[in-house]
Amino acid sequence: MYSSVITTARGVFAAQGIRFRIEGEDNVPRSGGAVMAINHTGYFDFTYAGLAARRSGRLVRFMAKKSIFAHPVAGPLMRGMRHIPVDRRDGRASFMRAVEAVRDGEIVGVFPEATMSRSFELKEFKPGAVRMAQEAGVPILPTTIWGSQRVWSKDLPKHLGRHNIPISIVVGEPFHVAPDDNRNEATVRLQAVMEAQLHAQQAAYPPLTGDDLVYQPARLGGKAPTPDDAAALDNADMTRTVDKFNKRRTSR
């Protein structure tokens, strides 16, 4: 099923006119486990990141929120491709399942920011990717994507038809975590590596102007929210979600 979905997705990408520039494909190991750590600015990031593993003949198993697996269309596909559901209220079971997959030689894709970045800057990383790599004794593949936010991101116009948007994908050199490394310190180092990598991609990307400035970080003169403003928007979303959950419990 996974191969069929990839073939279909590539056909969709071609119809959309997406111009991929993929660098560092040789950094994806042809065998053995690895954790692919990916930045998150668009809803299709997991489909794009997986393309970087094609040259090595690898399929990436992604960790995704549990609600996607309940969708009548996406759910059977996610299960068929053996992606890993994550319960955000208690992620221990999904974490152990991911560690087991990596130990068995799989590449597991994770988003260390946990949620999409509205500012298009890297949010503070959670230590899960480092912990997973450390427990399984495998490398981390620092993977950064730039341009995907222009296709479909939070609170912004989406472009699902033919748009000819360029998307840059870079897989950096494997990042190794020693058994006795401090996880928090290793997480900070990983974020610094991915930030430098992402900034280089942004510098090489075609300039954005006019209405497209909403997809550009404020740091680069764009109209995206600053990291502080983005954090406030994320907090408001979280508050609304908790309120809805509490209302459902009360109504029962």
Side-chain angles (χ1 to χ4, degrees):
M1 180 182 287
Y2 205 148
S3 297
S4 298
V5 170
I6 289 175
T7 300
T8 301
R10 291 182 66 200
V12 172
F13 300 155
Q16 291 176 317
I18 296 179
R19 292 172 287 150
F20 289 105
R21 179 175 180 175
I22 305 176
E23 300 175 66
E25 291 168 287
D26 291 340
N27 288 322
V28 179
R30 293 185 177 274
S31 63
V35 176
M36 179 178 275
I38 312 154
N39 71 311
H40 199 12
T41 62
Y43 286 107
F44 292 130
D45 285 336
F46 72 98
T47 63
Y48 301 148
L51 295 176
R54 287 187 62 251
R55 179 181 289 180
S56 297
R58 305 300 301 273
L59 299 175
V60 182
R61 310 295 177 187
F62 288 93
M63 300 186 75
K65 59 184 180 180
K66 189 177 179 180
S67 59
I68 298 176
F69 291 77
H71 190 278
V73 176
L77 292 174
M78 296 294 281
R79 288 189 291 273
M81 291 183 283
R82 293 193 290 134
H83 294 315
I84 301 169
V86 177
D87 185 342
R88 290 182 176 176
R89 285 176 293 213
D90 185 1
R92 287 172 295 182
S94 56
F95 177 83
M96 293 311 300
R97 183 175 170 185
V99 170
E100 183 179 350
V102 173
R103 283 176 174 159
D104 287 343
E106 299 271 14
I107 296 178
V108 172
V110 300
F111 296 97
E113 298 164 281
T115 59
M116 198 179 301
S117 171
R118 282 179 158 111
S119 71
F120 309 134
E121 305 281 12
L122 294 186
K123 297 163 64 74
E124 183 178 355
F125 280 16
K126 308 296 184 186
V130 165
R131 180 185 168 202
M132 189 184 304
Q134 191 177 48
E135 291 198 12
V138 301
I140 298 174
L141 308 177
T143 305
T144 46
I145 304 173
W146 186 245
S148 68
Q149 76 278 13
R150 298 178 62 194
V151 180
W152 190 9
S153 190
K154 278 187 178 180
D155 308 327
L156 291 173
K158 52 182 177 279
H159 302 95
L160 302 180
R162 189 165 184 85
H163 46 64
N164 301 314
I165 290 173
I167 294 179
S168 166
I169 306 169
V170 175
V171 182
E173 294 184 2
F175 180 95
H176 296 277
V177 184
D180 58 348
D181 278 353
N182 179 284
R183 289 172 181 169
N184 291 330
E185 292 176 359
T187 298
V188 171
R189 293 200 308 273
L190 173 64
Q191 180 163 349
V193 167
M194 291 180 62
E195 185 172 70
Q197 191 170 290
L198 181 62
H199 285 184
Q201 288 169 263
Q202 291 168 338
Y205 195 83
L208 299 182
T209 59
D211 292 342
D212 283 339
L213 285 174
V214 296
Y215 304 104
Q216 183 91 317
R219 172 180 55 84
L220 297 177
K223 297 182 179 179
T226 65
D228 285 345
D229 289 341
L233 292 169
D234 290 343
N235 186 61
D237 282 351
M238 190 178 300
T239 301
R240 282 194 295 270
T241 299
V242 171
D243 287 345
K244 286 180 182 178
F245 177 73
N246 289 336
K247 285 180 181 178
R248 284 198 214 102
R249 290 186 63 188
T250 302
S251 64
R252 289 174 186 171

